[in-house]
Structures are given as C-alpha cells and as structure tokens.
Amino acid sequence: MCGIVGYLGKKALLPLLVQSLRQLEYRGYDSAGLSWFDSQSNQLKTVKATGKLQNLANALPPELMQETDATHPAYQLGIGHIRWATHGTPTLDNAHPHHSQNGEIVLVHNGIIENFATLKQDLQGKGYVFRSETDTESIVHLLEETMKQTAENTPFIDILRQTKQQLTGAYALTVMHQGSPERLFATRQQAPLVVGIGLNNDEFWVASDVVALVAYTNKVLYLEDGQLVELSPEGLKLFDADGQALSPRVETIVTGPLTIDKKGYKHFMLKEIYEQPDVVRNALSGRLSAVDAPIALENDAPYRSKQHGDSLPKTLDALVADVDRLVIIGCGTSYNAGLVAKYFIEQLVRVSVEVEAAGEYRYRQPVLTPKTLVVAISQSGETADTLEAIRQAKTSGARTIALTNRPDSSMAREVDAVIDVRAGVEVSVCATKSFVAQLVALQLLGIFMLEQRTPALPAQLALLPSLKQALLRIPVQMEAMLSDVDTYHKLAKKYAAYPSFLFVARGINFPVAMEGALKLKEISYIHAEGYSGAELKHGPIALLDEKMPVLTLLAGGSVFDKMLSNCQEARAREAQVIALTNEPIPDGYADTFMDVITYPACDELLSPLLSAIPLQLLSYYIAEHLGKDVDQPRNLAKSVTVE
Ligand code: F6R
C-alpha cells in the first residue's frame, strides 16, 4: 500500500529518497513521486511517474541522481511517495506529492481522508481548483487556506496542527513549506509513521515503515496518534495534538535484520517458501527446548519505560490464566491461520475459540468479558481492520495479544502483550512463511495455555511430549519436501490452463484448503475456492465436471476416510481430482486420482504446517508458468492500512 519517505540532512538527496522508496516497493503500488527543495531557485520541485519506481528514477534530473554524499556540504530536504490508488485511478495527476494552489506547500499522504468530499466542496467554493481526484489534495489546499486565515508568521507546525483538527480519517502526512526551507513536518492519525534520527540529532529520515530507513540509522521515534513533529538542523521537536511540547522517546531498533534481498531466487515468494524450515526453527528457538520442558513464551512487546508513564508489561502467563474464551481476529491469510488454531486449541486445550475476519468483527457489537482473550493475527501489524478491531476489544475490557511478525508495529504498541512470530521480513505480497510462522506461534500459545491451566487437564497434558517431539521434527520434514520441485513444475504445466479450481478438505486442513485457494487466486488470477468436503454436496458439486480440478487434502487421521468418500463423489462427476496426502492411498482408489502429491506423515494437529507447502509451491509454479508478476500481483498491497 502507499509508502512515505522523507529526508533532511547532507546526504545526496534524490538517490537516498529513491533508495528508501525501493525498500517499500514490495508493498504494492501503482505510481510514485518526489519533491525536494531546490536551494538555487528557492523553489519546491516535483517529479512523478506512473508504474514502477524505475520510471520515476528515469524521470529525475540525471545530474541530481548522480550526486554522491561527498558532494553535499549543504542541507538537503525532500519527500517521496509510492501510491496505491484509493481515490482516483493511477495517473500522474493523482500521484503524490500534491501541491497547494500557490505552490508553496507540498505533501505526501498515506490513508484516507473520510471528510474529503465536504472539505473539497468548501474549498472549491473558496476558489481552489482541484487537479486530481484524490482525497489528499483537499489537505494541501486546506493547509494553504488555514495559512491565509492565520496571523502572519504563525509557525508552520501550528498551521499543520490547526489543519489536522479539520481532518477526519486515517492518515500519515509529511509536509514541506517553501517558507521553511530547512524544515520537514510530519503527523499521524491511525496510520504508521516513524522518524529516524542521525547520530548528532541534525539529520532525519521519515518513513511509513522503518524498513525504509534502517539502512541509515537505528535510532528511531515512532510517532503516536495525534502527534506532530518538526525536524530541522537544530533538532527534533515533538508536539501533541494540542500543541504541547513532548519529550521524544527515542528507541534503538532491536528487531532482526530488515534486509531485502532475493538471494539468487527468481522471486521473493520462492525464497520465502524455502526459508520456512528455518522460520519454524526460529519460532521454536528458546520457546520449545525439550519435549519434557514447558513452553517458554514471553511478552515480546516493544520497549516500555516508566519515564513515559507506561504500565508494566503484562506477562503471558498472567494473561492466559483463567481465560474462559479465546477470540481470534485477522484478515486474509492471517484469518486462515486463526481458523487452523481454532481446531488445534479447542481440541487440545478445551477452551472455546471464535475466529472472525477483523473487518466484520469491528462492525459488530461482540460480547466480551475481562476473561476473554482476543488475539489479533497480523503479519504487518498495520492492517487497518485488525488494528481497529483489537483497539475496540481492548476498550471493551478484554485481554489483548498481537501475534505479529512486526513487534515494532502499531498493533504491537497498543495491546497487552505481543507474540513475535519471527518470520523475518516478508517481501512477496503473497504471504507464505508468515502463515507457517503464525501457525507455529499459535500452536505454542495453545500448548502454553494448556500448561498454565488450573485445574490441570491430565489427559490433555499427557499428549504433549509426543506433540512437542513432532513439532521439533517439522523443519527437517519441510526440508525433505522442498527438495522436490519437479512435481510442481509438471503439475503447473498440466493444470495452469484450467480457469477454476476447488480446494477441498475437512477438519484442521479445511482452513489450509481456503489458504491454498487464496494463494492460487491472488498470484495467478485463476478463480479458486476452498470448501469443506462436507459442504461439497450442498452446492459446489454442481460445478464439477471434467473441466474442474479438485485438489483434495487427505491428511492421515480423523477425517481421512470421510475425505476419501468426498474424492470419489468428485471423481464420479468426472472432476480432475488431485490428492495431497501424507497417508498411503488404499487399494481400490487407483482411478480416483489424476495426480497424487505426497508429504511426510505427522501428527494430524500439526499437518497444516506441512500441507500448506505443496499448495504454496503449486500456486507459485502455476503463476510463474503463466508469466504473472508473482511478487507484486495486480491490485494487491502487502500492508492494507486502509479499510
Ligand atoms: C495473502 C495476504 C493477505 C494478508 C492480509 C492480512 O497472501 O497476504 O491476505 O494476509 O492482507 O495482512 P496482515 O497479516 O499483515 O494483517
């Protein structure tokens, strides 16, 4: 989704801004732009381009792009943006940065201004001419109008604050003003924004994600909702929404390496699929050390300090003890991970688990009590619906946990506790390793809850040593699976031309079928649905004929036989039935399956960790065979920061 960068300092400006935007590129975008202060003409300059960032780089003045840090004794100042269209198509006019009518103010914006239609009408009535279809343009004209209505020499930060009071919605803004040539201004409201700080407090970066600035500094200030910041060679000034000066809480980034590198793989998605054995090892490390040792799960919440009046971090055992209900919320792949966890936790821990898509949950009035534990699952920790849903849960008095790959994210900063899934940066828009890491973290949470429960459940506890043993075996089993790519090449070639797929499973693998369908549709644009085998007869079977591949997940265990019957029903309608199984197919089924993909035998409760991988590989190779943009599928964004 949209990305913001900004810089104030003595480094070569345009190469730095382009490089920072490149770090955000993976999030999905359709146009890009930069503005900078040109000290020779005393003017703000802007260049924009549609399509890939390289188009922008090619359109920038070559002499400025060739500058090096050594050539710059003076302060440089600029902002940049990649846009994922919400209001208006991806055109040059709609691309950011946007200028005020008098050309003296320029800004970039992430988020959505909900009252933009009213603001626009009002501003048009005052003579402002809109050049774009964006909601953003209303902010920049409103800044100019506020300036006109305010006493001369009012500091620009106050103009920004007064303008902000008139905005409704979610936004992160970074602004330059011609009258303040060595100053960058920024503010946020329900959209992330972080400031990077140079060694001597006289050089600053602004970004919507720390990934964009981590190459330059590890000293950062995460802005909180409502805060405004003014950056200049004299230092950083932080204000609250009322204009009161605040003392900034500067943090040293402690997250793992945030490097973005394909490491020789053709696509990030393939690299991330192959990273999964290590992702599982990482997720287990220090948490599951021996089969007879309890799970050690700590609150991975980011830095808190008494100086800022933070409450002491809550420990996870305090949060899960005496919980009588678990509610899991998430979107897309994270939601599917929650559905798998429902089977795992209810069966093992005997606690009731509800799972709901966060975008629906936030508009209901769910029943929550102080004994409800609400777990928000989010790779990015920034998904707008999940963030809002967990906020509401917290306000209603429930206990809250964020299970995320980004312990530095907005979500992680607002909940009682954080479980870091430790997947490392996931660059491909299509989630793969984060799904598997979420599953492991949820399994650990389930086992941890069982071990903390009073009164204890001896029969359930007796299951744990073999389950833990099986979990520790998963990385090696994954490695064995990943050594075979020929199968997927062949299957991709055979099935890529089919226009529609069904993924069918039962039990704990039913959500994996949904996840498999999601993977296929998002990167190959082939229509696919995940169904429970039990539901097949209640409608979807009408779709089946020789033109419909039906990929069936046959994990050994409680529903294996039921699934075999479903497969026969599908084959009887001449569907192209493919089996994905970790159990020998019984005699008599030779004609049922067109193709059989096998994976290692494992505990049924853990089978989603393995069964997900062939579905990821199949989707990857089909999309690759079809020549699709695997890592940046059309219309999708990595971090969905708007509703
Ligand atoms: C699918 C995918 C999306 C995300 C969803 C939630 O491959 O990536 O469905 O899972 O947008 O994102 P997070 O987990 O960041 O909240």
Side-chain angles (χ1 to χ4, degrees):
M1 210 146 249
C2 302
I4 287 178
V5 299
Y7 177 69
L8 170 88
K10 292 184 177 175
K11 293 192 166 55
L13 182 69
L14 298 198
L16 183 150
L17 289 175
V18 170
Q19 188 50 31
S20 299
L21 283 178
R22 280 201 202 288
Q23 301 302 304
L24 301 179
E25 208 177 4
Y26 72 93
R27 299 158 65 99
Y29 68 103
D30 42 53
S31 53
L34 290 185
S35 288
W36 66 99
F37 189 81
D38 178 61
S39 48
Q40 279 180 351
S41 62
N42 220 20
Q43 296 281 318
L44 293 167
K45 301 268 182 190
T46 295
V47 173
K48 307 185 198 183
T50 53
K52 294 289 176 193
L53 199 47
Q54 194 52 44
N55 299 346
L56 175 69
N58 295 343
L60 290 164
E63 67 284 6
L64 296 184
M65 283 302 282
Q66 276 148 23
E67 284 185 337
T68 63
D69 292 352
T71 54
H72 266 292
Y75 273 94
Q76 305 285 303
L77 183 69
I79 56 179
H81 192 262
I82 49 175
R83 173 173 187 259
W84 185 87
T86 57
H87 294 61
T89 48
T91 60
L92 267 191
D93 280 343
N94 288 335
H96 299 212
H98 288 281
H99 283 254
S100 58
Q101 193 140 293
N102 62 12
E104 291 178 7
I105 307 168
V106 62
L107 61 74
V108 287
H109 163 223
N110 282 3
I112 289 181
I113 302 302
E114 284 166 7
N115 61 336
F116 92 98
T118 327
L119 291 173
K120 184 170 179 175
Q121 206 177 19
D122 192 39
L123 288 159
Q124 281 173 326
K126 291 178 174 143
Y128 290 89
V129 179
F130 280 68
R131 291 169 295 241
S132 77
E133 302 156 275
T134 64
D135 51 336
T136 304
E137 200 181 342
S138 59
I139 316 172
V140 78
H141 293 318
L142 190 60
L143 277 163
E144 180 179 334
E145 179 60 20
T146 310
M147 210 160 179
K148 270 192 205 153
Q149 304 300 331
T150 317
E152 220 178 312
N153 299 329
T154 304
F156 190 76
I157 190 81
D158 287 330
I159 308 284
L160 180 59
R161 191 171 51 76
Q162 288 173 41
T163 304
K164 180 174 159 42
Q165 285 163 357
Q166 300 172 65
L167 303 176
T168 312
Y171 51 87
L173 299 173
T174 305
V175 191
M176 294 195 297
H177 168 231
Q178 196 166 305
S180 318
E182 287 194 340
R183 286 176 150 64
L184 257 187
F185 304 89
T187 185
R188 69 158 269 180
Q189 196 70 44
Q190 292 180 25
L193 206 60
V194 58
V195 177
I197 301 157
L199 273 185
N200 302 318
N201 282 338
D202 62 351
E203 184 182 27
F204 299 100
W205 294 259
V206 181
S208 49
D209 187 326
V210 76
V211 168
L213 53 77
V214 80
Y216 307 103
T217 181
N218 63 353
K219 269 171 61 186
V220 296
L221 166 71
Y222 286 92
L223 291 190
E224 289 173 20
D225 274 351
Q227 291 182 338
L228 301 97
V229 72
E230 177 178 337
L231 308 168
S232 73
E234 296 94 62
L236 176 158
K237 289 185 190 161
L238 182 69
F239 302 93
D240 68 13
D242 299 323
Q244 297 299 315
L246 300 169
S247 77
R249 176 165 67 193
V250 177
E251 298 177 32
T252 303
I253 302 172
V254 286
T255 45
L258 295 169
T259 47
I260 289 178
D261 178 1
K262 273 195 206 140
K263 296 212 169 120
Y265 287 92
K266 184 167 178 194
H267 294 101
F268 281 108
M269 179 175 171
L270 194 59
K271 170 182 166 255
E272 286 158 4
I273 291 172
Y274 273 83
E275 281 171 354
Q276 291 178 115
D278 282 339
V279 163
V280 176
R281 283 190 185 97
N282 244 340
L284 296 178
S285 166
R287 293 168 167 169
L288 169 53
S289 44
V291 293
D292 49 359
I295 297 294
L297 215 48
E298 280 174 12
N299 182 351
D300 299 315
Y303 165 83
R304 291 171 194 251
S305 86
K306 283 197 183 134
Q307 188 205 336
H308 287 84
D310 294 334
S311 54
L312 281 176
K314 298 204 169 89
T315 58
L316 278 173
D317 50 349
L319 279 170
V320 304
D322 75 348
V323 154
D324 62 9
R325 190 165 60 108
L326 206 65
V327 175
I328 301 181
I329 48 178
C331 299
T333 291
S334 297
Y335 167 66
N336 289 339
L339 290 172
V340 175
K342 176 179 169 69
Y343 286 86
F344 185 93
I345 295 174
E346 285 193 339
Q347 184 173 326
L348 189 69
V349 193
R350 312 304 300 144
V351 167
S352 160
V353 183
E354 280 167 39
V355 188
E356 191 163 341
E360 291 302 321
Y361 185 83
R362 61 180 288 193
Y363 289 109
R364 287 201 296 116
Q365 281 156 23
V367 179
L368 294 168
T369 72
K371 283 195 174 184
T372 313
L373 175 63
V374 183
V375 179
I377 308 178
S378 176
Q379 185 283 128
S380 61
E382 303 292 350
T383 299
D385 281 328
T386 316
L387 186 55
E388 184 50 32
I390 195 76
R391 275 183 185 141
Q392 290 177 11
K394 194 162 185 207
T395 313
S396 309
R399 306 168 195 192
T400 53
I401 292 183
L403 197 131
T404 179
N405 203 25
R406 296 295 299 269
D408 60 325
S409 61
S410 304
M411 217 172 285
R413 283 161 193 279
E414 300 201 15
V415 286
D416 294 321
V418 175
I419 299 176
D420 182 356
V421 305
R422 304 181 183 167
V425 176
E426 188 173 65
V427 174
S428 187
V429 163
C430 183
T432 52
K433 63 175 181 172
S434 64
F435 176 68
V436 157
Q438 288 166 354
L439 293 186
V440 174
L442 288 160
Q443 288 157 353
L444 291 174
L445 176 63
I447 301 174
F448 181 77
M449 285 176 75
L450 177 60
E451 288 173 338
Q452 303 295 321
R453 269 196 77 155
T454 46
L457 301 180
Q460 301 305 106
L461 286 168
L463 303 171
L464 291 186
S466 73
L467 189 66
K468 288 178 180 173
Q469 187 70 62
L471 197 45
L472 288 165
R473 263 199 308 269
I474 292 288
V476 173
Q477 293 181 313
M478 284 179 163
E479 270 157 0
M481 293 171 76
L482 289 165
S483 63
D484 167 30
V485 281
D486 275 3
T487 304
Y488 303 98
H489 271 300
K490 283 187 199 136
L491 289 172
K493 225 168 145 187
K494 183 167 171 188
Y495 291 104
Y498 285 87
S500 194
F501 270 69
L502 280 190
F503 289 73
V504 178
R506 296 182 84 153
I508 197 163
N509 276 285
F510 167 38
V512 184
M514 292 168 64
E515 175 61 7
L518 181 64
K519 296 301 87 163
L520 186 64
K521 71 178 97 165
E522 72 184 303
I523 59 169
S524 68
Y525 318 144
I526 293 173
H527 171 253
E529 297 301 334
Y531 262 101
S532 154
E535 279 291 296
L536 212 54
K537 292 193 249 336
H538 300 286
I541 202 162
L543 295 169
L544 301 191
D545 60 17
E546 74 288 355
K547 294 193 281 304
M548 177 70 87
V550 179
L551 199 148
T552 57
L553 283 80
L554 290 147
S558 57
V559 288
F560 184 76
D561 292 341
K562 304 280 168 212
M563 273 304 298
L564 276 178
S565 308
N566 293 144
C567 294
Q568 279 187 319
E569 287 158 13
R571 188 60 201 135
R573 273 83 194 169
E574 297 187 5
Q576 310 288 314
V577 186
I578 308 159
L580 168 59
T581 184
N582 64 353
E583 181 86 357
I585 301 284
D587 292 343
Y589 285 84
D591 297 335
T592 308
F593 300 105
M594 287 28 283
D595 288 283
V596 177
I597 311 167
T598 57
Y599 66 98
C602 64
D603 190 304
E604 186 183 8
L605 279 178
L606 301 181
S607 58
L609 292 173
L610 300 183
S611 61
I613 292 181
L615 303 186
Q616 297 168 346
L617 285 169
L618 186 63
S619 299
Y620 172 79
Y621 283 110
I622 288 181
E624 207 241 340
H625 182 80
L626 294 172
K628 303 296 182 204
D629 188 349
V630 173
D631 285 331
Q632 290 176 21
R634 68 183 183 201
N635 304 338
L636 291 178
K638 185 68 184 159
S639 179
V640 184
T641 48
V642 294
E643 273 196 62

